[in-house]
Amino acid sequence: MNTRQYEAFYIVSGALTDAQVQQIADKFKGVVETQGGSVESAGKWDKRKLAYEIKGHKEGNYILMHFTAEAKVPAELNRQMRNDDAVIRHRIFLRES
């Protein structure tokens, strides 16, 4: 089992409430955990004005998640984030140890 450390950074709609943002963060945390990974930290940073309009949104809630998993997990997480309408932008990075 070859696990690596990753960082998922994503922006969800600024129109969502804190409870809705937390629900989305928990959903993606659950994706990692059901795929066999472990989440070290996951949480909302804050709500900010976007530098430019993205998909009609001018504000967004920034969320950062650090996790350890096999290579298949970020691929599945990426697929689910891409298909979620609440996610404006997302990126998953491999963290240096």
Side-chain angles (χ1 to χ4, degrees):
M1 191 184 216
N2 189 10
T3 61
R4 301 175 100 174
Q5 293 183 336
Y6 296 94
E7 177 177 277
F9 184 74
Y10 53 105
I11 305 170
V12 296
S13 172
L16 300 175
T17 65
D18 285 343
Q20 291 171 317
V21 172
Q22 187 59 48
Q23 186 178 20
I24 291 169
D26 291 343
K27 172 186 168 185
F28 292 129
K29 182 179 175 184
V31 168
V32 171
E33 291 171 344
T34 57
Q35 295 287 319
S38 65
V39 177
E40 293 135 29
S41 66
K44 177 182 168 188
W45 270 8
D46 58 358
K47 184 181 205 176
R48 293 189 178 187
K49 184 177 177 184
L50 301 174
Y52 53 90
E53 192 172 306
I54 303 171
K55 298 180 185 175
H57 297 277
K58 295 181 181 185
E59 286 187 328
N61 292 295
Y62 288 70
I63 304 170
L64 179 68
M65 177 172 63
H66 291 130
F67 64 97
T68 303
E70 293 182 33
K72 67 177 183 167
V73 177
E76 175 62 17
L77 185 62
N78 185 44
R79 184 186 73 77
Q80 290 202 24
M81 284 181 170
R82 192 176 42 234
N83 293 329
D84 194 318
D85 291 335
V87 178
I88 299 171
R89 284 279 195 267
H90 72 279
R91 281 282 194 226
I92 301 173
F93 301 99
L94 180 62
R95 288 176 31 204
E96 295 294 323
S97 310

